[in-house]
Amino acid sequence: MLDKSPQALTATVAVDPVRSGRSERGVVYVYEAPVRLWHWINAAAILVLGLSGYFIGNGIPTIPGETGDNFLFGYIRFVHFIAGYVLTLGFLLRIYWAFVGNPHAKQIFYVPLWRKSYWREVWHEIRWYAFVAAEPKKYVAHNPLAQLAMFFMFTLATAFMIVTGFALYAQGTGNDSWQYRLFGWVFSIRPNSQDVHTWHHLGLWMIVTFALIHIYTAVREDIVSRQSIVSSIIFGERKFRD
């Protein structure tokens, strides 16, 4: 049942997307349908990219039979490339929605590092996750620590993976391809292709680490902080419970 508190919370966030009226209770519509749809498609693309990328980087078990009769590795690479296009298109649309969506849609694309109050709240969240702080602070969207992690471990990491991934892909499409024209500059920074492969592979483990922390903290906060985290990215509404 809605009361005037959700509007108060939303109004507060409209002024400052990082903070919210923490003493308020109720239901707030946070994540719009395009953001929720992108979240789950993006998660599926990352899962496919992670699994296929692991086999590309580490090889696959030996397959019996003639080499010409097996195309398993080719299929793995094909799936990896398709998932890469899905991730890239979704990321570009997500950037677009940051401009046209509600204030919460912008949150993963910037961090107010210049604000002292922001760092105080980051410190509180660190203490809360370490089971040192007694009570959580309630936020309509991402808390300051989550915003920091999202920006550096997801947003920037995803952009890095897209750039290096298409640069490596361009080696197969050739110097006349649009992939090489847009991303070939990577090899002017790191001429050794194996170095780019290595950094791209390390980026995979960065995102895997982030995904594990992200899932753990979302479930933990849903249980411990008494505010809906998991269901909000499914239905869009953040609920604050006693």
Side-chain angles (χ1 to χ4, degrees):
M1 184 174 181
L2 296 176
D3 57 20
K4 65 180 182 180
S5 58
Q7 286 79 9
L9 282 167
T10 305
T12 303
V13 176
V15 176
D16 185 348
V18 177
R19 306 181 64 180
S20 70
R22 300 183 190 122
S23 61
E24 302 290 344
R25 297 167 52 196
V27 179
V28 184
Y29 186 65
V30 181
Y31 300 117
E32 299 162 298
V35 173
R36 304 197 307 274
L37 181 63
W38 164 81
H39 177 275
W40 295 110
I41 293 176
N42 186 72
I46 288 175
L47 178 62
V48 172
L49 283 165
L51 291 174
S52 57
Y54 176 82
F55 287 115
I56 291 172
N58 295 277
I60 57 177
T62 302
I63 302 174
E66 294 295 327
T67 303
D69 296 332
N70 295 285
F71 196 64
L72 178 59
F73 199 80
Y75 289 130
I76 291 174
R77 292 179 76 247
F78 178 74
V79 169
H80 190 78
F81 298 154
I82 293 298
Y85 275 106
V86 171
L87 178 78
T88 303
L89 180 60
F91 192 71
L92 293 175
L93 291 175
R94 185 64 180 83
I95 293 174
Y96 165 76
W97 198 258
F99 290 98
V100 302
N102 66 19
H104 313 299
K106 302 177 178 64
Q107 210 177 12
I108 68 171
F109 292 102
Y110 84 103
V111 183
L113 301 175
W114 57 91
R115 296 179 185 169
K116 292 183 180 180
S117 59
Y118 172 80
W119 288 108
R120 284 196 298 268
E121 296 185 3
V122 167
W123 175 240
H124 178 273
E125 292 304 311
I126 292 174
R127 296 176 68 249
W128 167 246
Y129 284 120
F131 297 99
V132 175
E135 294 291 337
K137 294 181 179 180
K138 297 183 186 298
Y139 299 87
V140 172
H142 298 297
N143 68 55
L145 182 60
Q147 185 182 12
L148 187 69
M150 287 287 291
F151 179 74
F152 285 103
M153 295 186 70
F154 172 75
T155 304
L156 292 186
T158 299
F160 175 81
M161 294 297 281
I162 290 172
V163 170
T164 55
F166 272 102
L168 293 169
Y169 184 61
Q171 290 188 312
T173 57
N175 292 358
D176 295 330
S177 65
W178 66 265
Q179 292 94 341
Y180 192 87
R181 286 195 295 270
L182 289 179
F183 302 100
W185 56 266
V186 171
F187 297 108
S188 64
I189 300 174
R190 303 296 299 182
N192 189 336
S193 176
Q194 184 56 49
D195 288 345
V196 181
H197 274 281
T198 300
W199 283 106
H200 191 71
H201 198 68
L202 289 174
L204 160 67
W205 292 110
M206 167 74 81
I207 293 179
V208 167
T209 301
F210 166 79
L212 293 174
I213 296 173
H214 179 62
I215 294 170
Y216 163 73
T217 54
V219 174
R220 176 189 185 274
E221 287 300 281
D222 216 312
I223 298 171
V224 178
S225 68
R226 307 295 295 165
Q227 52 185 314
S228 64
I229 305 295
V230 177
S231 62
S232 64
I233 200 61
I234 299 175
F235 303 107
E237 294 180 339
R238 176 66 55 83
K239 299 178 181 179
F240 297 93
R241 304 184 293 270
D242 291 331

